[in-house]
Amino acid sequence: MLNMKVLQTYYLEMRARPDARIDAAARQYQLLECLRPQPMLNEFLYRLVGKAWDWTDRLDWSLEQWRELVESSAHRTWVAYTEGVVAGYFELSKQDNDVELLYFGLSPEFIGEGIGKLLLEDAVYAAWDWKPAERVWVHTCNLDHPAALANYKRRGFVHYKTEEEQL
């Protein structure tokens, strides 16, 4: 019998803005929103962060597909910098009053340094600040970092659905 791998995708949501916030002094990075769309920057960030987790859905995108994504008024990107280099990034996507944390992750060399919980918190507050927002949601899977699901839950996301797919 062949050993079939199962992809489990977990869907999580928040229906209210969290109250508590980590002290800004604990942040080890400078967070900047990309106010001028640069399709090649988003492609770079996607490849930099996603390579370790086998992100594949955008690998064959053309420059025009990247441009369409980042030039949309329903899309926003933030980059965290430490010591002049990219520590991580996140993208938000808005559909009506729902804000999706579309992509989130750290550069490989910053994994394990405690930046993930802080950057995720910044992503959550950026999503809630994008008015009007009634719901913030994200999906992750069993191929992402082993701490990803727990990190989302600790930041206030509630797991509401799991999908399974044979790979």
Side-chain angles (χ1 to χ4, degrees):
M1 176 181 220
L2 292 174
N3 185 8
M4 298 289 284
K5 195 170 191 176
V6 176
L7 173 66
Q8 292 182 312
T9 303
Y10 312 105
Y11 294 84
L12 302 103
E13 68 182 357
M14 275 184 192
R15 296 269 179 186
R17 182 185 181 97
D19 293 328
R21 192 148 191 196
I22 297 171
D23 180 13
R27 283 170 178 69
Q28 307 157 9
Y29 55 83
Q30 179 183 19
L31 184 65
L32 298 173
E33 182 177 2
C34 300
L35 298 175
R36 184 178 294 194
Q38 282 189 314
M40 292 176 72
L41 174 63
N42 282 74
E43 180 181 12
F44 166 78
L45 295 167
Y46 174 86
R47 290 176 183 274
L48 174 70
V49 169
K51 183 173 181 164
W53 313 114
D54 293 323
W55 291 358
T56 59
D57 56 322
R58 294 183 184 178
L59 286 179
D60 61 352
W61 273 24
S62 67
L63 183 58
E64 191 53 41
Q65 287 172 294
W66 284 103
R67 179 174 281 108
E68 184 178 327
L69 172 74
V70 302
E71 290 181 356
S72 166
S73 62
H75 181 270
R76 295 169 74 182
T77 303
W78 280 260
V79 182
Y81 294 93
T82 298
E83 299 175 7
V85 298
V86 174
Y89 88 114
F90 61 89
E91 295 180 20
L92 300 177
S93 176
K94 187 137 190 213
Q95 306 93 23
D96 299 318
N97 294 341
D98 284 357
V99 180
E100 178 184 5
L101 178 50
L102 191 60
Y103 282 92
F104 169 85
L106 300 176
S107 300
E109 62 271 24
F110 290 96
I111 293 172
E113 294 190 10
I115 292 175
K117 65 183 176 187
L118 302 168
L119 185 58
L120 181 54
E121 185 173 279
D122 282 331
V124 165
Y125 280 91
W128 282 110
D129 287 344
W130 196 355
K131 305 289 186 210
E134 295 175 6
R135 174 178 174 254
V136 174
W137 71 281
V138 65
H139 72 273
T140 188
C141 72
N142 59 327
L143 300 180
D144 281 339
H145 189 281
L149 184 59
N151 192 17
Y152 289 122
K153 289 180 177 180
R154 280 193 298 275
R155 302 287 82 75
F157 284 96
V158 175
H159 179 210
Y160 68 92
K161 178 173 77 171
T162 301
E163 292 180 344
E164 291 190 356
E165 174 186 346
Q166 296 289 330
L167 297 180

